[in-house]
Coordinates of all heavy atoms in Angstrom, one line a residue:
M170 N -75.4 73.7 158.6 CA -76.5 74.5 158.4 C -76.2 76.0 158.7 O -75.4 76.3 159.6 CB -77.6 74.1 159.4 CG -78.9 74.9 159.1 SD -80.2 73.9 159.7 CE -81.0 74.8 160.9
A171 N -76.7 76.9 157.9 CA -76.3 78.4 157.9 C -76.9 79.0 159.2 O -78.1 78.5 159.4 CB -76.7 79.0 156.6
V172 N -76.4 79.9 159.8 CA -76.9 80.6 160.9 C -77.6 81.9 160.4 O -77.1 82.6 159.5 CB -75.8 81.0 161.8 CG1 -76.3 81.7 163.1 CG2 -75.0 79.7 162.3
P173 N -78.9 82.0 160.9 CA -79.6 83.3 160.4 C -78.9 84.6 160.7 O -78.1 84.6 161.7 CB -80.9 83.2 161.2 CG -81.0 81.9 161.7 CD -79.7 81.2 161.8
L174 N -79.0 85.6 159.9 CA -78.3 86.9 160.1 C -78.8 87.6 161.3 O -78.0 88.4 161.9 CB -78.6 87.8 158.8 CG -77.7 89.0 158.8 CD1 -76.3 88.7 158.7 CD2 -78.1 89.8 157.5
K175 N -80.0 87.3 161.8 CA -80.6 88.0 162.9 C -79.7 87.7 164.1 O -79.7 88.5 165.1 CB -82.0 87.6 163.2 CG -83.0 88.0 162.2 CD -84.4 87.5 162.5 CE -85.2 87.5 161.3 NZ -86.5 86.8 161.6
E176 N -79.1 86.5 164.3 CA -78.3 86.1 165.4 C -76.9 86.5 165.4 O -76.1 86.3 166.3 CB -78.4 84.6 165.5 CG -79.7 84.0 165.7 CD -79.8 82.4 165.6 OE1 -78.7 81.9 165.7 OE2 -80.8 81.9 165.7
K177 N -76.5 87.3 164.3 CA -75.1 87.8 164.3 C -75.0 89.2 164.4 O -76.0 90.0 164.2 CB -74.5 87.4 162.9 CG -74.6 86.0 162.6 CD -74.1 85.7 161.1 CE -74.3 84.2 160.8 NZ -73.9 83.9 159.5
R178 N -73.9 89.7 164.9 CA -73.7 91.1 165.2 C -73.2 91.9 163.8 O -72.5 91.3 163.0 CB -72.5 91.3 166.2 CG -73.0 90.9 167.5 CD -71.9 91.3 168.5 NE -72.2 90.8 169.8 CZ -71.4 91.0 170.9 NH1 -70.4 91.7 170.8 NH2 -71.8 90.6 172.1
I179 N -73.6 93.1 163.7 CA -73.3 93.9 162.7 C -71.8 94.2 162.6 O -71.2 94.3 161.5 CB -74.2 95.2 162.5 CG1 -74.0 95.8 161.1 CG2 -73.9 96.1 163.6 CD1 -74.7 95.1 160.1
T180 N -71.2 94.4 163.8 CA -69.8 94.7 163.9 C -68.9 93.5 163.3 O -67.9 93.7 162.7 CB -69.4 95.0 165.3 OG1 -69.8 93.9 166.1 CG2 -70.0 96.2 165.7
T181 N -69.4 92.3 163.6 CA -68.7 91.1 163.0 C -68.9 91.2 161.5 O -67.9 90.8 160.8 CB -69.4 89.8 163.6 OG1 -69.4 90.0 165.0 CG2 -68.6 88.6 163.3
L182 N -70.0 91.5 161.0 CA -70.2 91.5 159.5 C -69.3 92.6 158.9 O -68.6 92.3 157.9 CB -71.6 91.9 159.2 CG -72.0 92.1 157.7 CD1 -71.8 90.8 157.0 CD2 -73.4 92.6 157.6
V183 N -69.1 93.8 159.5 CA -68.2 94.8 159.0 C -66.8 94.2 159.1 O -66.1 94.5 158.1 CB -68.4 96.0 159.8 CG1 -67.3 97.1 159.4 CG2 -69.8 96.7 159.6
L184 N -66.4 93.6 160.1 CA -65.1 93.1 160.2 C -64.8 92.0 159.1 O -63.7 92.0 158.5 CB -64.9 92.5 161.6 CG -63.5 91.8 161.9 CD1 -62.4 93.0 161.9 CD2 -63.5 91.1 163.2
V185 N -65.8 91.2 158.9 CA -65.6 90.2 157.9 C -65.5 90.7 156.5 O -64.7 90.3 155.7 CB -66.9 89.2 157.9 CG1 -66.9 88.3 156.7 CG2 -66.7 88.3 159.1
V186 N -66.3 91.8 156.2 CA -66.1 92.5 154.8 C -64.7 93.1 154.8 O -64.1 93.1 153.7 CB -67.3 93.5 154.8 CG1 -67.0 94.4 153.5 CG2 -68.6 92.8 154.6
L187 N -64.3 93.7 155.8 CA -62.9 94.4 155.8 C -61.8 93.3 155.6 O -60.9 93.5 154.8 CB -62.6 95.1 157.1 CG -63.4 96.5 157.2 CD1 -63.2 97.1 158.5 CD2 -63.1 97.4 156.1
V188 N -61.9 92.1 156.2 CA -61.0 91.1 156.0 C -61.0 90.6 154.6 O -60.1 90.3 153.9 CB -61.2 89.9 157.0 CG1 -60.5 88.7 156.6 CG2 -60.9 90.4 158.4
G189 N -62.3 90.6 154.0 CA -62.5 90.1 152.5 C -61.8 91.1 151.6 O -61.2 90.7 150.6
I190 N -61.9 92.3 152.0 CA -61.2 93.4 151.1 C -59.7 93.2 151.1 O -59.0 93.3 150.1 CB -61.6 94.8 151.5 CG1 -63.1 95.1 151.2 CG2 -60.7 95.9 151.0 CD1 -63.6 96.4 151.8
L191 N -59.2 92.9 152.4 CA -57.7 92.8 152.6 C -57.3 91.4 151.8 O -56.2 91.4 151.2 CB -57.4 92.6 154.0 CG -57.4 94.0 154.8 CD1 -57.2 93.7 156.3 CD2 -56.5 95.0 154.2
I192 N -58.0 90.4 151.8 CA -57.8 89.2 151.2 C -57.8 89.4 149.7 O -56.7 89.0 148.9 CB -58.7 88.0 151.6 CG1 -58.5 87.6 153.0 CG2 -58.6 86.8 150.6 CD1 -59.5 86.6 153.5
G193 N -58.7 90.1 149.2 CA -58.8 90.4 147.7 C -57.7 91.3 147.3 O -57.1 91.2 146.2
S194 N -57.2 92.3 148.1 CA -56.1 93.1 147.7 C -54.8 92.4 147.7 O -54.0 92.5 146.9 CB -56.0 94.2 148.9 OG -54.9 95.0 148.7
F195 N -54.6 91.4 148.7 CA -53.5 90.5 148.7 C -53.5 89.6 147.4 O -52.4 89.6 146.8 CB -53.5 89.7 150.0 CG -52.3 88.6 150.0 CD1 -51.0 89.1 150.2 CD2 -52.6 87.3 149.8 CE1 -50.0 88.2 150.2 CE2 -51.6 86.4 149.8 CZ -50.3 86.9 150.1
L196 N -54.6 89.1 147.1 CA -54.6 88.3 145.8 C -54.3 89.1 144.6 O -53.6 88.7 143.7 CB -56.0 87.7 145.8 CG -56.4 86.5 146.6 CD1 -57.8 86.1 146.5 CD2 -55.4 85.4 146.5
N197 N -54.8 90.4 144.6 CA -54.6 91.3 143.5 C -53.0 91.5 143.4 O -52.5 91.5 142.3 CB -55.3 92.6 143.7 CG -55.3 93.4 142.5 OD1 -55.1 92.9 141.4 ND2 -55.7 94.6 142.6
S198 N -52.3 91.8 144.5 CA -50.9 92.0 144.5 C -50.1 90.8 144.0 O -49.1 90.8 143.4 CB -50.4 92.6 145.8 OG -50.5 91.6 146.8
V199 N -50.6 89.6 144.5 CA -49.9 88.4 144.1 C -50.1 88.1 142.6 O -49.1 87.8 141.9 CB -50.5 87.1 144.9 CG1 -50.0 85.9 144.3 CG2 -50.1 87.3 146.3
V200 N -51.3 88.3 142.1 CA -51.5 88.1 140.6 C -50.7 89.1 139.8 O -50.1 88.9 138.7 CB -52.9 88.1 140.3 CG1 -53.2 88.2 138.8 CG2 -53.7 86.9 140.9
S201 N -50.6 90.4 140.3 CA -49.9 91.3 139.5 C -48.4 91.1 139.5 O -47.8 91.6 138.6 CB -50.2 92.8 140.1 OG -49.6 92.9 141.4
M202 N -47.8 90.3 140.4 CA -46.4 90.0 140.5 C -46.1 88.8 139.5 O -44.9 88.6 139.3 CB -46.1 89.7 141.9 CG -45.9 90.8 142.9 SD -45.0 90.5 144.3 CE -46.0 89.2 145.0
L203 N -47.0 88.2 139.0 CA -46.8 87.1 138.0 C -46.1 87.6 136.8 O -46.5 88.7 136.3 CB -48.0 86.3 137.7 CG -48.8 85.6 138.7 CD1 -50.1 85.1 138.3 CD2 -47.9 84.5 139.2
P204 N -45.1 86.9 136.2 CA -44.4 87.3 135.0 C -45.3 87.3 133.9 O -46.3 86.6 133.7 CB -43.3 86.4 134.9 CG -43.8 85.1 135.5 CD -44.7 85.6 136.6
G205 N -45.0 88.2 132.9 CA -45.7 88.2 131.6 C -46.9 89.2 131.7 O -47.3 89.6 132.8
E206 N -47.4 89.6 130.5 CA -48.5 90.6 130.4 C -49.5 89.9 129.5 O -49.2 89.8 128.2 CB -48.0 91.8 129.8 CG -48.5 93.1 130.2 CD -49.0 93.3 131.7 OE1 -48.1 93.2 132.6 OE2 -50.2 93.6 131.9
N207 N -50.6 89.4 130.0 CA -51.6 88.8 129.2 C -53.0 89.3 129.6 O -53.3 90.1 130.5 CB -51.5 87.3 129.2 CG -51.6 86.8 130.7 OD1 -52.2 87.6 131.5 ND2 -51.3 85.6 130.9
V208 N -54.0 89.0 128.8 CA -55.3 89.5 128.9 C -56.0 89.0 130.3 O -56.7 89.9 131.0 CB -56.3 89.0 127.9 CG1 -57.7 89.5 128.0 CG2 -55.7 89.5 126.6
V209 N -55.7 87.8 130.8 CA -56.3 87.4 132.0 C -55.8 88.1 133.2 O -56.5 88.5 134.1 CB -56.0 85.8 132.1 CG1 -56.5 85.2 133.5 CG2 -56.7 85.0 131.0
K210 N -54.4 88.3 133.3 CA -53.8 89.1 134.3 C -54.3 90.6 134.3 O -54.6 91.0 135.4 CB -52.2 89.1 134.1 CG -51.6 89.9 135.2 CD -50.1 89.7 134.9 CE -49.3 90.7 135.9 NZ -47.8 90.7 135.6
T211 N -54.5 91.1 133.2 CA -55.0 92.5 133.1 C -56.4 92.5 133.6 O -56.8 93.5 134.3 CB -54.9 93.0 131.6 OG1 -53.5 93.0 131.3 CG2 -55.3 94.5 131.6
F212 N -57.2 91.6 133.2 CA -58.6 91.4 133.6 C -58.8 91.4 135.1 O -59.6 92.0 135.7 CB -59.3 90.2 132.9 CG -60.8 90.1 133.3 CD1 -61.7 90.9 132.8 CD2 -61.1 89.0 134.1 CE1 -63.1 90.7 133.2 CE2 -62.4 88.9 134.5 CZ -63.3 89.7 134.0
F213 N -58.0 90.5 135.7 CA -58.1 90.3 137.2 C -57.5 91.5 138.0 O -57.9 91.7 139.2 CB -57.5 89.0 137.6 CG -58.4 87.8 137.4 CD1 -58.0 86.9 136.4 CD2 -59.5 87.6 138.0 CE1 -58.8 85.8 136.1 CE2 -60.4 86.6 137.9 CZ -60.1 85.7 136.8
T214 N -56.5 92.1 137.5 CA -55.8 93.2 138.3 C -56.3 94.6 137.9 O -55.8 95.5 138.6 CB -54.3 93.1 138.1 OG1 -54.0 93.2 136.8 CG2 -53.8 91.8 138.7
Y215 N -57.1 94.8 137.0 CA -57.6 96.1 136.6 C -58.4 96.7 137.8 O -59.3 96.0 138.3 CB -58.4 96.1 135.3 CG -59.0 97.4 134.9 CD1 -58.1 98.4 134.4 CD2 -60.3 97.7 135.1 CE1 -58.5 99.6 134.0 CE2 -60.8 99.1 134.8 CZ -59.9 99.9 134.1 OH -60.2 101.2 133.9
S216 N -58.1 97.9 138.3 CA -58.8 98.4 139.3 C -59.4 99.7 139.0 O -58.9 100.5 138.2 CB -57.9 98.5 140.6 OG -56.8 99.5 140.3
I217 N -60.5 100.1 139.6 CA -61.2 101.3 139.4 C -61.3 102.1 140.8 O -61.7 101.7 141.7 CB -62.7 101.1 139.0 CG1 -62.8 100.2 137.7 CG2 -63.5 102.3 139.0 CD1 -64.1 99.7 137.4
P218 N -60.5 103.2 140.7 CA -60.4 104.0 142.0 C -61.7 104.8 142.1 O -62.3 105.3 141.2 CB -59.2 105.0 141.6 CG -59.2 105.1 140.2 CD -59.7 103.8 139.7
F219 N -62.1 104.9 143.5 CA -63.2 105.7 143.9 C -62.9 106.4 145.1 O -62.3 105.8 146.1 CB -64.5 104.8 144.1 CG -65.6 105.4 144.7 CD1 -66.4 106.2 143.9 CD2 -65.9 105.3 146.0 CE1 -67.6 106.8 144.4 CE2 -67.0 105.9 146.5 CZ -67.9 106.7 145.8
G220 N -63.1 107.8 145.2 CA -62.8 108.4 146.5 C -63.0 109.9 146.4 O -63.5 110.4 145.4
I221 N -62.6 110.5 147.3 CA -62.6 112.0 147.5 C -61.2 112.6 147.4 O -60.3 112.1 148.1 CB -63.2 112.4 148.9 CG1 -64.6 111.9 149.0 CG2 -63.2 114.0 149.0 CD1 -65.2 112.0 150.4
G222 N -61.0 113.4 146.5 CA -59.7 114.1 146.3 C -59.0 113.6 145.0 O -59.6 112.7 144.3
D223 N -58.0 114.2 144.6 CA -57.3 114.0 143.3 C -56.0 113.2 143.6 O -55.0 113.7 144.0 CB -56.9 115.2 142.6 CG -56.3 114.9 141.3 OD1 -56.4 113.8 140.8 OD2 -55.7 115.9 140.6
F224 N -56.1 111.8 143.6 CA -55.0 111.0 144.0 C -54.1 110.8 142.9 O -52.9 110.3 143.1 CB -55.5 109.6 144.6 CG -56.1 109.8 145.9 CD1 -57.6 110.1 146.1 CD2 -55.4 109.9 147.0 CE1 -58.0 110.2 147.2 CE2 -55.9 110.1 148.3 CZ -57.3 110.2 148.4
A225 N -54.4 111.1 141.6 CA -53.5 111.0 140.5 C -52.3 112.0 140.7 O -51.2 111.7 140.4 CB -54.2 111.3 139.3
E226 N -52.6 113.1 141.2 CA -51.6 114.2 141.5 C -51.3 114.3 142.9 O -50.6 115.4 143.3 CB -52.1 115.5 140.8 CG -52.1 115.4 139.2 CD -52.6 116.7 138.7 OE1 -52.5 117.8 139.4 OE2 -53.0 116.7 137.5
N227 N -51.8 113.4 143.8 CA -51.6 113.5 145.1 C -52.0 114.7 145.8 O -51.2 115.3 146.6 CB -50.0 113.1 145.5 CG -49.9 112.7 147.0 OD1 -50.8 112.4 147.6 ND2 -48.6 112.7 147.5
R228 N -53.2 115.2 145.6 CA -53.8 116.3 146.2 C -55.2 116.1 146.7 O -56.1 115.9 146.1 CB -54.0 117.5 145.1 CG -52.7 118.1 144.6 CD -52.9 119.3 143.7 NE -53.6 118.8 142.5 CZ -54.1 119.6 141.6 NH1 -53.9 120.9 141.7 NH2 -54.6 119.1 140.5
P229 N -55.2 115.9 148.1 CA -56.5 115.8 148.7 C -57.3 117.1 148.7 O -56.8 118.1 148.4 CB -56.2 115.3 150.0 CG -54.9 115.8 150.4 CD -54.1 115.8 149.0
V230 N -58.7 117.0 149.1 CA -59.5 118.1 149.1 C -59.1 119.1 150.2 O -59.0 118.6 151.4 CB -61.0 117.7 149.2 CG1 -61.9 118.9 149.3 CG2 -61.3 116.9 147.9
L231 N -59.0 120.4 150.0 CA -58.7 121.3 151.1 C -60.0 121.9 151.5 O -60.7 122.4 150.8 CB -57.7 122.4 150.6 CG -57.6 123.6 151.6 CD1 -56.9 123.2 152.8 CD2 -56.9 124.7 150.8
I232 N -60.3 121.8 152.9 CA -61.4 122.4 153.4 C -61.0 123.5 154.3 O -60.3 123.3 155.3 CB -62.3 121.4 154.2 CG1 -62.7 120.2 153.2 CG2 -63.5 122.0 154.9 CD1 -63.5 119.2 153.9
D233 N -61.3 124.7 154.0 CA -60.8 125.9 154.6 C -62.1 126.7 155.3 O -62.9 127.2 154.6 CB -60.2 126.9 153.8 CG -59.4 128.0 154.4 OD1 -59.5 128.1 155.7 OD2 -58.9 128.8 153.7
L234 N -62.0 126.6 156.7 CA -63.1 127.2 157.5 C -62.7 128.5 158.2 O -63.3 128.9 159.1 CB -63.8 126.2 158.5 CG -64.3 124.9 157.9 CD1 -64.6 123.9 159.0 CD2 -65.4 125.2 156.9
D235 N -61.7 129.1 157.6 CA -61.0 130.3 158.2 C -60.4 130.0 159.4 O -59.1 130.4 159.5 CB -62.1 131.4 158.2 CG -61.4 132.8 158.3 OD1 -60.2 132.9 157.6 OD2 -61.8 133.7 159.0
A236 N -61.0 129.5 160.4 CA -60.3 129.2 161.7 C -59.7 127.9 161.7 O -58.7 127.6 162.4 CB -61.3 129.3 162.9
I237 N -60.2 126.9 160.9 CA -59.7 125.6 160.8 C -59.4 125.3 159.4 O -60.3 125.6 158.6 CB -60.6 124.6 161.5 CG1 -60.9 124.9 162.9 CG2 -60.2 123.2 161.2 CD1 -62.0 124.0 163.5
R238 N -58.3 124.8 159.1 CA -58.1 124.3 157.8 C -57.6 122.9 157.8 O -56.7 122.6 158.5 CB -57.0 125.2 157.1 CG -56.6 124.8 155.7 CD -55.5 125.7 155.1 NE -55.9 127.1 155.1 CZ -55.1 128.1 155.1 NH1 -53.8 127.9 155.0 NH2 -55.6 129.4 155.1
F239 N -58.2 122.0 157.0 CA -57.8 120.6 157.0 C -58.0 120.0 155.5 O -58.7 120.5 154.7 CB -58.4 119.8 158.0 CG -59.9 119.7 158.0 CD1 -60.5 118.7 157.2 CD2 -60.7 120.7 158.5 CE1 -61.9 118.6 157.2 CE2 -62.0 120.6 158.4 CZ -62.7 119.6 157.8
Y240 N -57.2 119.0 155.4 CA -57.3 118.1 154.1 C -58.0 116.9 154.3 O -57.9 116.2 155.3 CB -55.9 117.8 153.6 CG -55.0 119.0 153.1 CD1 -54.1 119.6 154.0 CD2 -55.2 119.5 151.9 CE1 -53.4 120.7 153.6 CE2 -54.5 120.6 151.4 CZ -53.6 121.2 152.3 OH -52.9 122.3 151.8
L241 N -58.9 116.6 153.4 CA -59.7 115.3 153.4 C -59.5 114.5 152.1 O -59.6 115.0 151.0 CB -61.1 115.8 153.5 CG -62.2 114.7 153.6 CD1 -62.0 113.9 154.8 CD2 -63.5 115.2 153.5
G242 N -59.1 113.3 152.3 CA -58.9 112.4 151.2 C -59.2 111.0 151.6 O -59.0 110.5 152.7
F243 N -59.9 110.3 150.7 CA -60.3 109.0 150.9 C -60.3 108.3 149.5 O -60.9 108.8 148.6 CB -61.6 108.9 151.6 CG -62.2 107.6 151.8 CD1 -61.7 106.8 152.8 CD2 -63.2 107.1 151.0 CE1 -62.2 105.5 153.1 CE2 -63.7 105.8 151.2 CZ -63.2 105.0 152.3
Q244 N -59.7 107.1 149.4 CA -59.8 106.3 148.2 C -59.9 104.9 148.3 O -59.3 104.2 149.3 CB -58.6 106.6 147.4 CG -58.5 105.9 146.0 CD -57.3 106.3 145.2 OE1 -56.2 106.6 145.7 NE2 -57.4 106.1 143.9
I245 N -60.7 104.2 147.6 CA -61.0 102.8 147.5 C -60.6 102.4 146.1 O -61.2 103.0 145.2 CB -62.3 102.4 147.9 CG1 -62.6 102.8 149.4 CG2 -62.4 100.9 147.8 CD1 -64.0 102.5 149.9
Q246 N -60.0 101.3 145.9 CA -59.7 100.8 144.5 C -60.4 99.5 144.4 O -60.1 98.5 145.2 CB -58.3 100.7 144.2 CG -57.6 102.0 144.0 CD -56.2 101.8 143.5 OE1 -55.7 100.8 143.5 NE2 -55.7 103.0 143.1
F247 N -61.4 99.4 143.5 CA -62.2 98.1 143.4 C -61.6 97.3 142.2 O -61.2 97.8 141.2 CB -63.6 98.4 143.0 CG -64.4 99.0 144.1 CD1 -64.7 100.4 144.0 CD2 -64.9 98.3 145.2 CE1 -65.5 100.9 145.0 CE2 -65.5 98.9 146.2 CZ -66.0 100.2 146.1
S248 N -61.3 96.0 142.5 CA -60.9 95.1 141.4 C -61.7 93.9 141.5 O -62.3 93.6 142.5 CB -59.3 94.8 141.4 OG -59.1 94.0 142.6
L249 N -61.6 93.1 140.4 CA -62.4 91.8 140.5 C -61.9 90.9 141.6 O -62.8 90.2 142.3 CB -62.2 91.1 139.1 CG -63.0 89.9 139.0 CD1 -64.5 90.2 139.0 CD2 -62.7 89.2 137.7
L250 N -60.7 90.9 141.9 CA -60.2 90.0 143.0 C -60.6 90.5 144.4 O -60.8 89.7 145.3 CB -58.7 89.9 142.9 CG -58.2 89.0 141.7 CD1 -56.7 89.0 141.6 CD2 -58.8 87.6 141.8
S251 N -60.6 91.8 144.5 CA -61.1 92.4 145.9 C -62.6 92.1 146.1 O -63.0 91.8 147.2 CB -60.9 93.9 146.0 OG -61.6 94.6 144.9
I252 N -63.4 92.2 145.0 CA -64.9 91.8 145.1 C -64.9 90.3 145.4 O -65.8 89.9 146.2 CB -65.6 92.3 143.9 CG1 -65.5 93.8 143.8 CG2 -67.0 91.7 143.8 CD1 -66.1 94.4 142.5
L253 N -64.2 89.5 144.8 CA -64.1 88.1 145.0 C -63.8 87.9 146.4 O -64.4 86.9 147.0 CB -63.2 87.4 144.0 CG -63.1 85.9 144.1 CD1 -64.4 85.3 143.5 CD2 -62.0 85.4 143.2
G254 N -62.8 88.6 147.0 CA -62.5 88.3 148.4 C -63.6 88.7 149.3 O -63.8 88.0 150.3
V255 N -64.3 89.7 149.0 CA -65.4 90.1 149.9 C -66.6 88.9 149.9 O -67.1 88.6 150.8 CB -66.1 91.4 149.4 CG1 -67.4 91.6 150.1 CG2 -65.1 92.5 149.7
F256 N -66.9 88.4 148.5 CA -67.8 87.4 148.5 C -67.4 86.1 149.1 O -68.2 85.4 149.8 CB -68.2 87.2 147.0 CG -69.1 88.2 146.5 CD1 -68.8 88.8 145.2 CD2 -70.3 88.5 147.1 CE1 -69.7 89.8 144.8 CE2 -71.2 89.6 146.6 CZ -70.9 90.1 145.4
L257 N -66.2 85.8 149.1 CA -65.5 84.6 149.7 C -65.7 84.7 151.2 O -66.1 83.8 151.9 CB -64.1 84.4 149.3 CG -63.4 83.2 149.8 CD1 -64.1 81.9 149.1 CD2 -62.0 83.2 149.4
S258 N -65.4 85.9 151.8 CA -65.4 86.1 153.2 C -66.9 86.0 153.7 O -67.1 85.6 154.7 CB -64.7 87.3 153.7 OG -65.4 88.5 153.2
L259 N -67.8 86.6 152.9 CA -69.3 86.6 153.3 C -69.8 85.2 153.2 O -70.7 84.8 154.0 CB -70.1 87.5 152.3 CG -69.8 89.0 152.6 CD1 -70.7 89.8 151.6 CD2 -70.3 89.3 154.0
Y260 N -69.3 84.4 152.3 CA -69.7 83.0 152.2 C -69.3 82.3 153.5 O -70.1 81.5 154.1 CB -69.1 82.3 150.9 CG -69.5 80.8 150.9 CD1 -70.8 80.5 150.4 CD2 -68.5 79.9 151.2 CE1 -71.1 79.2 150.3 CE2 -68.8 78.6 151.1 CZ -70.1 78.2 150.7 OH -70.4 76.8 150.6
F261 N -68.1 82.5 154.0 CA -67.7 81.8 155.1 C -68.3 82.4 156.4 O -68.5 81.7 157.4 CB -66.1 81.9 155.3 CG -65.4 80.9 154.4 CD1 -64.5 81.4 153.5 CD2 -65.7 79.6 154.5 CE1 -63.9 80.5 152.6 CE2 -65.0 78.7 153.6 CZ -64.1 79.2 152.6
F262 N -68.7 83.7 156.3 CA -69.4 84.4 157.4 C -70.8 83.7 157.5 O -71.4 83.7 158.7 CB -69.5 85.8 157.2 CG -70.3 86.5 158.2 CD1 -69.7 86.7 159.5 CD2 -71.5 87.1 157.9 CE1 -70.5 87.4 160.4 CE2 -72.2 87.8 158.8 CZ -71.8 88.0 160.1
R263 N -71.3 83.2 156.5 CA -72.7 82.5 156.6 C -72.6 81.4 157.4 O -73.7 81.0 158.2 CB -72.9 82.1 155.1 CG -74.3 81.9 154.9 CD -74.5 81.5 153.4 NE -75.4 80.3 153.3 CZ -75.7 79.6 152.4 NH1 -75.1 79.8 151.3 NH2 -76.7 78.8 152.5
W264 N -71.6 80.7 157.6 CA -71.5 79.5 158.4 C -71.0 79.8 159.9 O -70.9 78.8 160.7 CB -70.6 78.4 157.8 CG -71.0 78.1 156.5 CD1 -70.5 78.5 155.2 CD2 -72.3 77.4 156.1 NE1 -71.2 78.1 154.2 CE2 -72.3 77.4 154.6 CE3 -73.3 76.7 156.8 CZ2 -73.4 76.8 153.9 CZ3 -74.2 76.1 156.0 CH2 -74.3 76.1 154.7
Y265 N -70.6 81.1 160.1 CA -70.0 81.4 161.4 C -71.1 81.5 162.4 O -72.2 82.1 162.2 CB -69.3 82.8 161.3 CG -68.8 83.4 162.6 CD1 -67.7 82.8 163.2 CD2 -69.5 84.4 163.2 CE1 -67.2 83.3 164.4 CE2 -69.0 84.9 164.3 CZ -67.9 84.4 165.0 OH -67.5 84.9 166.1
K266 N -70.9 81.0 163.6 CA -71.9 81.0 164.7 C -71.7 82.2 165.6 O -70.7 82.5 166.1 CB -72.0 79.8 165.5 CG -72.5 78.6 164.6 CD -72.6 77.4 165.5 CE -73.2 76.3 164.6 NZ -73.5 75.1 165.5

């Protein structure tokens, strides 16, 4: 029987989602190492980058406050397998007590 969400901690939920992202990323790298180039492999390993900064040319955003200067960059790459990993980990989280 599934445990209600009210009885679970939010930090555990965040940890489960992060583990799901890592599992999906691992699955993505395993599928991308398979030999050959076909539509199914391309479909599962195609990723959409999302973030702050220009990571194509390796240039994060420069924030210059005159006294303090720092670079800010953050990027997440979504793929079908990473989303599948998140849903898989959330499914198992449903049964966690």
Side-chain angles (χ1 to χ4, degrees):
M170 185 153 120
V172 180
L174 188 60
K175 295 178 199 174
E176 298 176 8
K177 300 176 185 177
R178 293 185 180 183
I179 192 72
T180 55
T181 308
L182 177 65
V183 170
L184 181 66
V185 166
V186 169
L187 288 175
V188 167
I190 291 171
L191 291 175
I192 289 170
S194 174
F195 175 73
L196 289 174
N197 194 16
S198 64
V199 167
V200 169
S201 67
M202 288 190 305
L203 292 174
E206 211 41 57
N207 54 20
V208 176
V209 176
K210 180 179 172 183
T211 305
F212 177 73
F213 281 111
T214 59
Y215 180 76
S216 62
I217 300 170
F219 173 77
I221 299 171
D223 185 11
F224 288 94
E226 297 182 15
N227 199 14
R228 288 188 297 174
V230 175
L231 171 65
I232 299 176
D233 190 1
L234 303 174
D235 199 33
I237 299 172
R238 180 182 301 160
F239 60 95
Y240 290 97
L241 180 67
F243 178 76
Q244 184 179 20
I245 298 175
Q246 289 190 348
F247 294 106
S248 69
L249 184 63
L250 288 174
S251 64
I252 294 171
L253 182 70
V255 169
F256 283 128
L257 186 68
S258 66
L259 287 175
Y260 177 76
F261 286 121
F262 177 68
R263 201 177 138 191
W264 305 105
Y265 175 74
K266 290 186 179 187

